Amino acid sequence: QVQLVESGGGLVQTGGSLSLSCVASGRTSSIYAVSWFRQAPGKERDSVGAVNWRYGSPNYADSVKGRFTLVRDNAKNTVYLHMNNLKPEDTAVYYCAVATTEGGSGYNVWGQGTQVTVSS
């Protein structure tokens, strides 16, 4: 199986930047897609950006398009989420998740989550 460890969350002021990382270990050859999700208090958990593990361009939610960038480093089995021009509405717990060939469908392995708080 695959395990995911996230890091990089914290407190930042409006307009600031943060970078999150998600390191995969275990049977990483089984991964075929990765996505970053976030969940704000009282809201549903929604995808922020997603991409094929090995090729292609990421897709982004409209709310973060132009501000967030999803970057793959396959040699390190790591995915980053670079967040710029942060807004208070970006405050949420952020999760990375991967879809593997060992799962039936969808994103079957999840990181532990990391808190991002944007002060207004």
Side-chain angles (χ1 to χ4, degrees):
Q1 253 290 355
V2 173
Q3 298 82 42
L4 303 176
V5 178
E6 302 177 32
S7 62
L11 176 65
V12 66
Q13 293 183 336
T14 297
S17 300
L18 280 175
S19 292
L20 309 181
S21 65
C22 175
V23 181
S25 61
R27 194 171 177 269
T28 57
S29 61
S30 69
I31 300 171
Y32 64 88
V34 61
S35 179
W36 284 94
F37 293 79
R38 68 184 182 185
Q39 186 168 28
K43 294 186 177 181
E44 298 179 349
R45 183 164 61 192
D46 294 322
S47 177
V48 173
V51 72
N52 183 281
W53 184 247
R54 296 171 181 83
Y55 61 86
S57 299
N59 296 314
Y60 299 100
D62 289 340
S63 59
V64 306
K65 193 173 297 182
R67 300 188 297 118
F68 290 13
T69 304
L70 195 159
V71 177
R72 299 163 296 195
D73 189 340
N74 295 108
K76 297 181 179 179
N77 290 318
T78 301
V79 174
Y80 304 92
L81 184 68
H82 301 297
M83 304 182 293
N84 299 310
N85 192 24
L86 284 161
K87 304 174 180 180
E89 52 262 44
D90 296 319
T91 295
V93 178
Y94 284 71
Y95 301 88
C96 65
V98 297
T100 75
T101 58
E102 299 172 346
S105 64
Y107 294 96
N108 55 294
V109 181
W110 293 75
Q112 81 278 13
T114 185
Q115 176 71 46
V116 173
T117 302
V118 184
S119 301
S120 60

